[in-house]
Amino acid sequence: QQPPYTGWFYTGDWVECKGQNQLRYVGRAQDEFIQNGAGWKCSRHEIEKRHQNKPTLISHLEWVSHPKSSGLLALAWLGKDAPSGDKSREVIREWFISKQLSWLQKGESPSIIRQFHVLSVGLLKGEPPLTRLGKIDRRKISLNNEWLIEQLTDPFISHPQKIDIPD
């Protein structure tokens, strides 16, 4: 007899344990996935795992998409002590590039790298909006920053709050 499988995969499905080796499907976490614009449905958990150890000048990173974009976009809230201007922009740009290079060095396939590559980052001051329960309010993020997200999708637009990340 084989021992029961002890590993778990993060799929966004909610299940309930009903005894040994019995799971009951409860539902799916709707906001746990994001369409990356290139046809892939990416787990937010996996995106965050691949972008660990963010620079300390970033207080929060949020992943967004847009119908005009062919990949992931990010919004980065800068902490109060973050240097302004080009210094912050360069630190963040280099950090995203280093993440992609580390995936290459690990031998990840180009399609996987493309799936999690962030095309552009929008810089914001302050803190992201929260729900009444204190969780990040992704709906308000999209609504409040629609203009910036639109700017992130256009490779020909240069803006002080926009950082393009090369492939």
Side-chain angles (χ1 to χ4, degrees), residues 5-24:
Y5 182 71
T6 57
W8 289 93
F9 295 101
Y10 190 81
T11 64
D13 290 333
W14 291 350
V15 296
E16 177 181 40
C17 292
K18 301 287 276 183
Q20 190 173 1
N21 298 330
Q22 291 183 340
L23 298 176
R24 183 178 75 86

Side-chain angles (χ1 to χ4, degrees), residues 125-137:
K125 291 281 188 182
E127 296 296 323
L130 302 176
T131 66
R132 290 182 304 185
L133 299 175
K135 295 182 177 182
I136 300 295
D137 191 334

Side-chain angles (χ1 to χ4, degrees), residues 113-142:
I113 292 169
R114 184 73 191 133
Q115 185 175 348
F116 294 102
H117 171 65
V118 173
L119 300 176
S120 295
V121 180
L123 302 179
L124 298 161
K125 291 281 188 182
E127 296 296 323
L130 302 176
T131 66
R132 290 182 304 185
L133 299 175
K135 295 182 177 182
I136 300 295
D137 191 334
R138 291 191 175 112
R139 188 183 63 78
K140 278 188 183 172
I141 286 173
S142 293

Side-chain angles (χ1 to χ4, degrees), residues 49-116:
K49 191 168 106 177
R50 288 176 171 275
H51 292 90
Q52 290 179 356
N53 305 319
K54 65 185 181 294
T56 56
L57 58 93
I58 298 174
S59 64
H60 181 75
L61 266 176
E62 192 62 39
W63 316 103
V64 295
S65 64
H66 190 278
K68 292 181 184 176
S69 176
S70 63
L72 284 175
L73 308 170
L75 296 176
W77 279 264
L78 302 182
K80 291 176 265 174
D81 301 329
S84 60
D86 291 339
K87 178 66 177 165
S88 289
R89 294 170 54 82
E90 192 57 30
V91 167
I92 293 168
R93 183 176 179 278
E94 291 302 318
W95 178 72
F96 274 101
I97 291 170
S98 74
K99 287 297 176 182
Q100 184 172 332
L101 290 174
S102 74
W103 304 335
L104 278 170
Q105 291 168 349
K106 290 177 186 173
E108 301 244 12
S109 75
S111 65
I112 294 293
I113 292 169
R114 184 73 191 133
Q115 185 175 348
F116 294 102

